[in-house]
Amino acid sequence: MSRFGRLGAALALSATLAGCGGDGGSSSAIGSNTGGGSGGTATGTVDGACSLRNRQNWVSAQMNEWYLFPDTLPASLDPSAYTTVSDYIDALTATARAQRKDRYFTYLTSIKEENAYYSSGDSAGFGFRLTVDSTQSKLMIAESFESGAALAAGIDRGSEIRGIGTSSTNIQSIADIVRADPNNGLTNALGPDTTGTTRYFQVADPSGNVRVVSLTKSTYTLQPVSPNYGTQIITDNGQRYGYINLRTFISTADPQLRAAFATFKQQGITQVVVDLRYNGGGSIDIADLFNNLLGGNRQTSDVMGYVAFRASKASNNETTYFTPQAQSIVPTRLAFIGTGGTASASELVLNRTLPYMGANTGLIGANTYGKPVGQIARDNAQCDDRLRVIAISLQNANKQGDYYNGLAGIVPASCRAGDDLTRKMGDPQEASTRAALDFLQGKSCTPISASASAQAAGTGPRKLLQPDRPSVAQRDVPGLY
């Protein structure tokens, strides 16, 4: 049974630890234990017509009952001034957002869409993750996914998209697209996230070859752990290290993570590079599994972390304990690769290692996003509305949890490194992977500055491209198109 399924027979809650969303840089939900499974059937003013006003009233009722920061909610807010439910939610959370507590983490989504993604990873798109520089003049592929159209066309990490069009004759340069619409031009040029959407791309391959490629969006299954590079045994400087890259915390990651750690255990691996550089979060059950796989020497009496609701819902508070698995290893040093796109469940896993590993856990790369809170799901099923409302705060065994400005100010050890798009992730010479191996080997490095707060889905001088209203998949896999 999922942990939040045990909060009480009267509450059928699900929670998610997801990552970076849109609207100027948000993060999303705190992962559903069942991978986003069914939320509680909520009460409120609602009727079968699913009118805008009734849907807004229903949202208001849920927020007033469950919101983690009730003192920040407006005493009254007329819904009639807002033409969508999402705009109304943004207005309700404006004060908490200004305090960096809820940066668009509370949002409305589709029950059907979320269930499909969390259960299987199904998403419609080209199957690549995009990153842009600070001027949006250089649009690059951060990675492509195995069953998507982009990889099938030979477009992968390090490729540059120089132009986008709806036909081969009307391709516009990236500079022209951004000049016409600096805020949403690139996202709009990529088209709606519906199957059958076709775009023409001028692509510069890493080799320097420039070509025009036609891609059509289709439904594909995102593998949480890449079968190509997601799990590796790296031999470096005469020692062996485990490498695991997790893209998203969804239910299908369970067998993949277990298989990876079974290999690590069989090979006697005790030092691991955990690459979460683009991981925006997802299921809290998968986060629990990850920590358990890293906790082979933990006892079932050892606290993994704490989950706390607002004072009026304190009866639902919970303490999580370790449950070592058959595949668990006993790590001696851990190097977590992160960026501003590393959020929520990803941050949770790292934070929960600190009480037991201390300075033997290092953050490599850049500061993380900063999302120590999570959502529960409240469902208005007749309207296919699922409200992901921030309702829980998260702490490790030492009660550390207020990392709203990222984990760089929390971790005792960190090493600054870039995201090298010229090499595959997990390549020992790729900048962040190299820095992670150096940390594991005890070499000195430049710490990550904790004074500058993490930017939304940032990757240092580059950031992952996000729409203003990200889909379920884009919240957990920032930069996905």
Side-chain angles (χ1 to χ4, degrees):
M1 180 183 293
S2 66
R3 293 201 302 110
F4 283 88
R6 296 197 298 266
L7 287 177
L11 296 177
L13 304 181
S14 71
T16 58
L17 276 173
C20 306
D23 287 296
S26 63
S27 274
S28 59
I30 184 160
S32 163
N33 304 302
T34 58
S38 61
T41 301
T43 59
T45 305
V46 65
D47 62 23
C50 292
S51 67
L52 173 62
R53 185 57 176 265
N54 281 337
R55 293 169 69 210
Q56 290 171 325
N57 289 343
W58 173 79
V59 162
S60 178
Q62 308 318 307
M63 295 287 288
N64 280 293
E65 181 178 3
W66 291 101
Y67 196 49
L68 184 62
F69 314 111
D71 293 344
T72 68
L73 293 173
S76 62
L77 185 66
D78 184 3
S80 62
Y82 304 93
T83 58
T84 69
V85 180
S86 292
D87 288 342
Y88 180 57
I89 292 171
D90 290 347
L92 289 171
T93 59
T95 298
R97 182 166 65 252
Q99 298 173 1
R100 294 186 61 80
K101 293 178 178 179
D102 186 352
R103 288 168 282 158
Y104 301 96
F105 304 157
T106 297
Y107 61 91
L108 193 73
T109 189
S110 158
I111 298 171
K112 294 177 182 177
E113 180 186 353
E114 187 177 273
N115 287 350
Y117 173 71
Y118 279 116
S119 64
S120 65
D122 283 352
S123 180
F126 299 121
F128 49 41
R129 194 196 300 262
L130 298 177
T131 176
V132 293
D133 61 1
S134 58
T135 64
Q136 296 192 82
S137 62
K138 202 171 183 66
L139 182 63
M140 303 287 293
I141 307 295
E143 67 176 325
S144 292
F145 305 113
E146 287 73 28
S147 59
L151 192 59
I155 302 174
D156 203 354
R157 181 175 174 85
S159 296
E160 179 185 358
I161 296 178
R162 294 185 175 178
I164 306 172
T166 57
S167 72
S168 60
T169 60
N170 69 359
I171 295 176
Q172 287 185 288
S173 70
I174 298 304
D176 286 344
I177 293 171
V178 172
R179 190 177 299 114
D181 184 354
N183 296 320
N184 301 302
L186 292 177
T187 294
N188 291 339
L190 291 164
D193 287 333
T194 54
T195 58
T197 298
T198 298
R199 290 294 182 268
Y200 290 76
F201 299 93
Q202 184 185 61
V203 178
D205 296 321
S207 65
N209 178 51
V210 179
R211 57 196 174 112
V212 173
V213 181
S214 171
L215 296 179
T216 299
K217 292 186 178 182
S218 60
T219 300
Y220 64 94
T221 299
L222 191 152
Q223 297 248 32
V225 178
S226 169
N228 295 328
Y229 61 84
T231 302
Q232 300 178 48
I233 303 293
I234 298 174
T235 300
D236 187 77
N237 199 23
Q239 296 190 51
R240 292 189 306 164
Y241 305 90
Y243 172 89
I244 178 72
N245 182 306
L246 184 66
R247 292 163 166 165
T248 182
F249 289 74
I250 57 177
S251 59
T252 50
D254 184 306
Q256 294 182 328
L257 286 173
R258 290 182 186 275
F261 278 85
T263 298
F264 295 162
K265 185 173 184 179
Q266 182 183 34
Q267 297 292 319
I269 298 297
T270 63
Q271 301 188 66
V272 182
V273 176
V274 181
D275 196 340
L276 302 173
R277 74 182 74 188
Y278 305 138
N279 192 317
S283 165
I284 199 171
D285 269 357
I286 300 301
D288 289 351
L289 172 64
F290 211 143
N291 280 113
N292 280 319
L293 291 171
L294 291 169
N297 57 338
R298 300 270 60 84
Q299 305 299 313
T300 55
S301 58
D302 289 338
V303 172
M304 182 185 290
Y306 300 96
V307 175
F309 286 73
R310 58 193 267 183
S312 63
K313 298 292 186 180
S315 61
N316 295 312
N317 292 354
E318 192 171 280
T319 302
T320 306
Y321 296 90
F322 279 93
T323 308
Q325 304 294 297
Q327 305 86 4
S328 296
I329 66 169
V330 180
T332 55
R333 283 176 77 80
L334 298 171
F336 284 82
I337 298 177
T339 67
T342 303
S344 214
S346 295
E347 294 174 299
L348 177 68
V349 172
L350 190 163
N351 189 46
R352 293 196 299 201
T353 68
L354 297 180
Y356 301 98
M357 299 289 292
N360 288 317
T361 287
L363 172 62
I364 314 300
N367 197 7
T368 61
Y369 186 84
K371 184 174 180 288
V373 292
Q375 295 93 324
I376 62 170
R378 302 299 289 162
D379 285 354
N380 180 4
Q382 61 188 328
C383 303
D384 191 36
D385 281 345
R386 172 166 291 163
L387 177 68
R388 281 292 182 182
V389 54
I390 288 293
I392 53 180
S393 63
L394 304 162
Q395 298 175 327
N396 64 20
N398 287 345
K399 297 294 182 78
Q400 293 172 308
D402 291 332
Y403 44 87
Y404 290 101
N405 290 321
L407 285 169
I410 300 294
V411 296
S414 67
C415 294
R416 191 171 65 197
D419 182 21
D420 182 4
L421 296 180
T422 69
R423 297 179 184 272
K424 292 184 178 181
M425 289 177 282
D427 183 326
Q429 299 309 313
E430 186 274 323
S432 288
T433 308
R434 180 69 262 158
L437 293 170
D438 287 347
F439 168 79
L440 295 178
Q441 293 167 16
K443 297 179 181 178
S444 61
C445 64
T446 301
I448 298 169
S449 172
S451 60
S453 61
Q455 297 300 309
T459 57
R462 306 188 63 82
K463 66 176 183 178
L464 298 167
L465 183 67
Q466 282 286 80
D468 282 346
R469 297 290 184 190
S471 66
V472 171
Q474 286 170 325
R475 289 182 180 274
D476 285 359
V477 189
L480 176 69
Y481 285 90

